[in-house]
Amino acid sequence: MSWLSNSQAVVLTAYHPSGKDQALGGSHGKGGEEAASRRYGQYTMNQEVTKVTERPPFDRSGSQDSLDELSMEAYWTELENIKKSHENRQDDQEVVVVKEPDEGELEEEWLKEAGLSNLFGETAGDPQESMVFLSTLTRTQAAAVQKRVETVSQTLRKKNKQYQVPDVRDIFAQQTGSKEKEAPDGTESQSVGTDENKYRGKDDQASHLGVGGKELTPLVPEEAPASETDINLEVSFAEQAVSQKESSREKIQRSRGDDATLLTYRVPKDKTGTTRIGDLAPQDMKKVCHLALIELTALYDVLGIELKQQKAVKIKTRDSGLFCVPLTVLLEQDQKKVPGTRIPLIFQKLISRIEEGGLETEGLLRIPGVAVRIKNLCQELEAKFYEGTFNWESVKQHDAASLLKLFIRELPQPLLSVEYLKAFQAVQNLPTRKQQLQALNLLVILLPDANRDTLKALLEFLQRVVDNKEKNKMTVMNVAMVMAPNLFMYHTLGLKSGEQREFVMAAGIANIMHLLIRYQKLLWTIPKFIVNQVRKQNTENQRKDKKAMKKLLKKMAYDREKYEKQDKSANDADVPQGVIRVQAPHLSKVSMAIQLTEELKASDVLARFLSQESGVAQTLKNGEVFLYEIGGNIGERCLDDNTYMKDLYQLNPNAEWVIKSKPS
């Protein structure tokens, strides 16, 4: 990558927005009588100086004035610091020319990402593998798939492809009769034919801020009392949006200016256990990602928000070092030194160094380090970090914080990923805070593992900073304002945007950053309706496999009745009704039969097993081992302590129950 310069701007051409979309960029400078309307970091910097009044010259509510005065100053100051930092680190970078995607190319890529690639191409003749998947989709999910299928079908027909292009009506015709069936896991289907009234619930419509005709959901004041409410994870988010859309205008009018802004959301209690990212086996997590992409697209479709995935551009990147190195390359280097590490060692060390200086330091993350010293530290780290000779004691706390932000900004691909960065930015356009959280939840699921793990470590650190706000004066809003430019402004290329548009963008991405920090526990939860869809897929696939096996056994002249009896006894394992058998093959050779009761939880099972076992089991501390649900209609799932075993047993009676440690 390289920098192209002229008298007006400096432009990075490593990435290019797909389609006709123009990325948002720039800032509304503050401090002094003059401010520059610019884009900082690795994007266009327009150096035209304009006069700035005390307040932005467009209308907005009194609440927005308060937001701007209290916290937007930190945002503009951070952009100024990024600009200064970048001026000290203008390394040669390669120019990449990006070809505009062909018609239908993005939709075809979307279908591949959604696990539906076998509907098209040279192998499109037998789409049976996708039929099971499609049969588990909700009405809105199916509509999102159908929309993309139609676009690709039309494109392929225009190109006169030799292979047969399936008709959309043929693909979805088989699903019509199955939509009203009861799900294999015993839950009612969420698809066509379901009463929409079940999706209706308390609307969380936040009071909106008008900015030149654009509405934004504001940050809730820290000191405001907030009533907690569960966010519905049992019903498709898009289906909820359809139901709420009918009465949304009335609710918006009713909620403006009232206590709707004071609602805060929490992960609901689920008797069958809350499933978090990292709890499922890889094969099931892959299905979760496919469903999350379809659900996110369906939600955006219902709400009228355009969702276009970016295509990652192949660029020449460094294959060693610390800064400007892809996360995957960093982890490959680090795993040679610390096997199993999932977060870059330099990232972990910078956070540790900041915390060693004390999280009570006033202005932590906001006050920048000395630019020249930062540049020298980068060079020294590159040379000495892996040799273990770097003197961390010499790194000042604010310098370490600046290095952490620099590391995030200089990743060759953004931490929020090239593919979904624009989708993250588009969250600000969703009408309610609840829908913004739902979209962020799905986007977090879709991130690559390395990006998601690093983002989680960052957000947990930022929360620890916020926990010390009484002393460091860094509230969640202040931290959001400082960190938003570092995560969201990375690839904002495009034309000059007006001051009003810049303010809308700045307030929007700061709001998203605020939600990421405040609701991170909720965002790392896999919605129950998606887990149930995975269970349905597994059940249907097992049914097909079992049918094929029986047919094979019959051909081989085996006793079919004997096979069925063996299959049944293998599942029952001579365990009485209402009793589960718990195993811990790595801890004990003995299994334990446990009677199910209404109040028996996973934590009770663990405690009972470990208390009665000698040897290795007694040396284990709480939290080192977990109870797993394995088999039946799920591949493998780690249970949280508050899972009610009887309820889960009824959902998955053919599962095995195993105690083991969680893989690193």
Side-chain angles (χ1 to χ4, degrees), residues 8 45-46 96 101 140 165 177 216 225 271 321 327 339 402 448 476 500 522 588 605 632 656:
Q8 296 297 323
M45 291 184 291
N46 298 311
V96 178
T140 50
V165 178
L216 292 173
K271 297 197 80 173
L327 278 177
S402 292
V476 66
Q500 177 175 321
L522 188 153
S588 171
V605 175
E656 295 181 356

Side-chain angles (χ1 to χ4, degrees), residues 506-606:
I509 64 174
N511 180 60
I512 299 167
M513 191 73 226
H514 169 268
L515 296 179
L516 285 170
I517 298 170
R518 183 174 180 182
Y519 293 102
Q520 54 188 282
K521 289 184 179 179
L522 188 153
L523 300 181
W524 258 257
T525 302
I526 302 176
K528 184 177 180 179
F529 73 89
I530 289 183
V531 177
N532 284 344
Q533 285 181 291
V534 172
R535 291 184 187 276
K536 294 173 193 175
Q537 288 182 32
N538 291 338
T539 300
E540 289 299 315
N541 285 326
Q542 289 169 8
R543 190 174 296 167
K544 289 181 179 295
D545 292 343
K546 190 173 182 180
K547 188 175 181 181
M549 179 62 72
K550 286 181 179 179
K551 189 175 181 180
L552 178 63
L553 290 174
K554 190 174 181 180
K555 283 183 178 180
M556 296 173 68
Y558 276 95
D559 189 336
R560 184 176 179 182
E561 184 178 346
K562 181 180 179 182
Y563 166 74
E564 290 178 340
K565 182 181 290 186
Q566 288 175 345
D567 183 58
K568 183 178 180 181
S569 63
N571 287 327
D572 294 344
D574 298 324
V575 178
Q577 188 69 22
V579 175
I580 60 171
R581 188 167 294 281
V582 181
Q583 306 172 56
H586 300 295
L587 304 176
S588 171
K589 295 181 180 179
V590 180
S591 62
M592 177 181 290
I594 296 180
Q595 179 70 48
L596 294 174
T597 63
E598 295 292 339
E599 299 302 319
L600 182 72
K601 296 183 181 180
S603 58
D604 301 325
V605 175
L606 274 172

Side-chain angles (χ1 to χ4, degrees), residues 108 122 155-165:
E108 192 166 355
E122 303 295 340
T155 303
L156 292 178
R157 288 192 180 95
K158 287 179 183 178
K159 292 180 179 179
N160 296 318
K161 294 288 185 182
Q162 296 300 314
Y163 52 82
Q164 182 180 2
V165 178

Side-chain angles (χ1 to χ4, degrees), residues 152 178 194 217 251 363 376:
V152 176
S178 63
T194 307
T217 304
K251 290 178 179 178
N376 292 335

Side-chain angles (χ1 to χ4, degrees), residues 340-412:
T341 187
R342 300 169 63 92
I343 300 162
L345 295 178
I346 181 63
F347 191 83
Q348 295 182 50
K349 187 60 183 177
L350 287 170
I351 289 177
S352 298
R353 183 61 191 141
I354 297 169
E355 293 187 321
E356 286 169 6
L359 296 181
E360 301 84 7
T361 304
E362 186 170 340
L364 188 61
L365 296 175
R366 178 174 55 80
I367 299 175
V370 178
V372 176
R373 199 160 59 220
I374 297 299
K375 184 176 182 180
N376 292 335
L377 285 171
C378 285
Q379 295 172 349
E380 193 175 351
L381 277 167
E382 293 280 8
K384 299 180 179 179
F385 178 74
Y386 284 114
E387 294 178 0
T389 57
F390 182 79
N391 181 18
W392 282 99
E393 298 298 324
S394 65
V395 181
K396 298 181 183 298
Q397 190 181 31
H398 291 305
D399 289 349
S402 292
L403 285 168
L404 180 71
K405 292 185 288 186
L406 181 68
F407 173 86
I408 295 168
R409 289 197 308 274
E410 294 202 348
L411 288 171

